[in-house]
Amino acid sequence: MVAAVGVALSIVGQPVSVASWPSTPPPDKIIIDVATINGSGCRPGSAAVAVSADNEAFTVTYSEFLAQVGLGSQPTDFRKNCQISLKVHVPSGFTYAIAQADYRGFASLARGANGLERANYYFQGQSPTAFVNHPFNGPLEDNWQTTDTTDISALVYHPCGELRNFNINTELRVGVGTSDPKKTTSFMAMDSTDGSIKTTYHFHWKTCPR
């Protein structure tokens, strides 16, 4: 039997460790199929999904997700987005919520330039959550990481036994700001050719009523 979930993610001050929210994952294998993938930051075939061996999380790896402005950029390159619709198959008797999402990438922002990573989440037939925004300011030449969390008391579990795709909409933006686009190039990336940069979505499990 297939179960699906609801989600309510929001940024909560300092990131809260999911480890502090104990749950027991199902022992059997979790299968996630990509139903659809589209957006300017992810052509079909440019994103891969994998479930962790302990069933605690799943990851998404992008290979072409980069937004940029300045030298060598096209007018539409300042904003890139990716929407993935996932079919999550979990063992009978279990359901889950998404407790935390970790995003990672690399940024090269000239002095005066700015960047933004944002995401929202929704399930088939439900309204999207509000976007959670994470701004960055140049100068910056480093790896970046952001975390979206939801309080344990606000986790929303979908009724057991239903099938609704889990949709993730992620966006990167880069702005010129006060930098000189004729002399500099600024970018934010969430891609990885070797699979080392991944976004991670953490499950929180519970058993279904008998």
Side-chain angles (χ1 to χ4, degrees):
M1 182 172 62
V2 176
V5 301
V7 67
L9 286 176
S10 61
I11 193 67
V12 182
Q14 299 298 318
V16 180
S17 172
V18 175
S20 65
W21 305 340
S23 69
T24 302
D28 298 326
K29 186 176 181 180
I30 309 302
I31 299 174
I32 298 181
D33 297 321
V34 178
T36 59
I37 178 172
N38 58 70
S40 56
C42 58
R43 293 183 304 109
S46 67
V49 179
V51 181
S52 65
D54 60 6
N55 289 338
E56 295 282 2
F58 69 91
T59 59
V60 181
T61 306
Y62 302 95
S63 60
E64 301 179 359
F65 203 163
L66 182 147
Q68 67 176 19
V69 294
L71 291 172
S73 304
Q74 299 298 316
T76 57
D77 287 346
F78 80 98
R79 175 187 177 273
K80 298 292 182 178
N81 80 297
C82 183
Q83 181 163 310
I84 301 180
S85 183
L86 302 175
K87 293 181 178 180
V88 182
H89 307 276
V90 303
S92 177
F94 286 86
T95 188
Y96 66 93
I98 300 299
Q100 180 172 307
D102 302 321
Y103 295 90
R104 296 174 57 229
F106 184 83
S108 178
L109 300 176
R111 184 176 299 276
N114 55 76
L116 178 73
E117 181 274 321
R118 67 197 307 242
N120 72 350
Y121 317 84
Y122 65 97
F123 285 79
Q124 188 176 2
Q126 298 181 357
S127 299
T129 62
F131 272 102
V132 180
N133 297 317
H134 299 277
F136 297 84
N137 294 304
L140 178 63
E141 189 82 19
D142 204 352
N143 295 320
W144 59 266
Q145 178 170 336
T146 63
T147 298
D148 297 349
T149 65
T150 189
D151 186 80
I152 185 65
S153 63
L155 290 176
V156 178
Y157 298 85
H158 197 277
C160 296
E162 294 191 16
L163 176 60
R164 297 189 184 184
N165 291 358
F166 175 40
N167 299 292
I168 305 167
N169 188 24
T170 309
E171 184 177 318
L172 293 177
R173 293 189 185 190
V174 179
V176 172
T178 59
S179 66
D180 187 348
K182 296 181 180 179
K183 296 180 180 180
T184 63
T185 300
S186 295
F187 69 85
M188 281 191 68
M190 196 158 50
D191 58 12
S192 174
T193 56
D194 61 2
S196 61
I197 297 177
K198 303 173 182 178
T199 60
T200 304
Y201 300 88
H202 301 268
F203 293 121
H204 193 275
W205 296 98
K206 74 174 184 178
T207 55
C208 297
R210 293 186 177 183

